[in-house]
Amino acid sequence: FKLSQPVETYFNIVENPRALQTKNDSLLYVKNNYFKGVDFSDQRLLRNPFLENKISVYFNSLVVQSSEEITKEIFNILDKTGSKEGELFSYLSLYFINKYTAPKIMGLDRVFINIYNKYFKNNEYSWLTTQQKLSLRDSYIDLKDNQIGNFSPNLFMTTLEEKRIDLYDVKAPYIVLIFWDPSCGHCTTELPKTKKTYDELWKDKGIKVFAVN
């Protein structure tokens, strides 16, 4: 019943409604009271149709769409679920894992990395099947070295002159990394455009291109 109720209007609660005059004030109030009265350790939450929609609205509408803020909110909920062997932690942890393994917004897959590191990397659960465990580990391995803001893995390549060149040896304010193949139709169309852009705009700015055949 509590999950199905909207947040009570602050005009009926706050002694001084004028304290919430701005949109941001109102949104913050709604956010802080959105789960008021909801006990995330109560297993009965799983037996109703409101839980997933309630959480979805919260994260899509009230939480800043950054990996840091989303992670903080998820940790706050998961830490309130009680036993990590319980059904609520099992359901909600996998719900968030599935949501952020391949998110709609680029960069939010770091949320999956954060959840995995805290709750799954060094922990065993009786409800987690071997197949699920391996799937989570494989997703983690695929994503952990390809996060926005992190250094990419080094590339050890050979030039046309048979000299070794490492990606980490290239010094530039920005590096454009291109993977291409001479038999690729898109490559033969786009690379000349990239070369033209490099000659006309990037070169004078110190930008360098690392092209991997």
Side-chain angles (χ1 to χ4, degrees):
F1 178 76
K2 290 177 181 177
L3 279 177
S4 69
Q5 300 304 299
V7 178
E8 185 177 359
T9 171
Y10 57 78
F11 287 112
N12 295 333
I13 302 175
V14 180
E15 295 180 0
N16 180 17
R18 292 185 178 181
L20 301 177
Q21 287 183 338
T22 71
K23 181 179 180 180
N24 285 342
D25 291 336
S26 301
L27 286 174
L28 185 61
Y29 180 84
V30 172
K31 180 176 181 290
N32 291 339
N33 290 273
Y34 189 80
F35 291 119
K36 186 176 181 180
V38 176
D39 180 3
F40 280 105
S41 66
D42 188 339
Q43 303 298 311
R44 293 175 298 175
L45 293 180
L46 294 174
R47 310 291 184 253
N48 69 75
F50 303 113
L51 179 61
E52 188 169 315
N53 182 67
K54 184 88 170 178
I55 290 176
S56 178
V57 170
Y58 182 73
F59 279 89
N60 291 335
S61 303
L62 296 174
V63 178
V64 175
Q65 295 302 290
S66 73
S67 59
E68 294 80 6
E69 288 298 315
I70 293 172
T71 297
K72 181 177 70 175
E73 296 289 344
I74 290 175
F75 286 1
N76 185 45
I77 289 176
L78 293 181
D79 287 343
K80 293 178 179 177
T81 56
S83 172
K84 300 301 182 289
E85 288 290 348
E87 288 183 317
L88 263 169
F89 177 78
S90 169
Y91 173 80
L92 289 175
S93 61
L94 292 181
Y95 168 81
F96 289 123
I97 283 282
N98 292 330
K99 182 178 178 65
Y100 292 103
T101 302
K104 295 180 180 180
I105 299 177
M106 182 181 291
L108 292 189
D109 49 2
R110 186 182 289 275
V111 175
F112 161 76
I113 300 294
N114 295 337
I115 297 173
Y116 182 86
N117 280 331
K118 180 171 182 178
Y119 297 105
F120 291 92
K121 189 174 183 178
N122 298 311
N123 295 304
E124 299 283 344
Y125 304 113
S126 61
W127 51 263
L128 191 67
T129 67
T130 300
Q131 183 177 357
Q132 288 174 314
K133 183 178 179 179
L134 293 175
S135 177
L136 292 178
R137 185 199 65 183
D138 290 345
S139 295
Y140 173 75
I141 291 172
D142 288 341
L143 294 172
K144 68 183 181 66
D145 292 325
N146 293 288
Q147 294 299 300
I148 292 175
N150 290 2
F151 279 106
S152 69
N154 195 12
L155 291 174
F156 307 88
M157 307 303 297
T158 303
T159 68
L160 292 174
E161 294 77 24
E162 299 299 322
K163 295 180 180 180
R164 170 171 163 156
I165 181 171
D166 294 1
L167 177 61
Y168 283 5
D169 290 336
V170 180
K171 306 301 180 185
Y174 293 96
I175 300 173
V176 180
L177 181 61
I178 298 175
F179 294 90
W180 70 287
D181 187 271
S183 63
C184 166
H186 292 295
C187 299
T188 57
T189 299
E190 297 301 325
L191 281 179
K193 298 177 184 177
T194 304
K195 177 64 164 61
K196 185 173 185 292
T197 301
Y198 172 79
D199 290 336
E200 295 179 356
L201 298 174
W202 295 349
K203 190 173 182 179
D204 290 341
K205 294 181 173 64
I207 298 173
K208 294 184 179 180
V209 177
F210 193 96
V212 180
N213 180 358

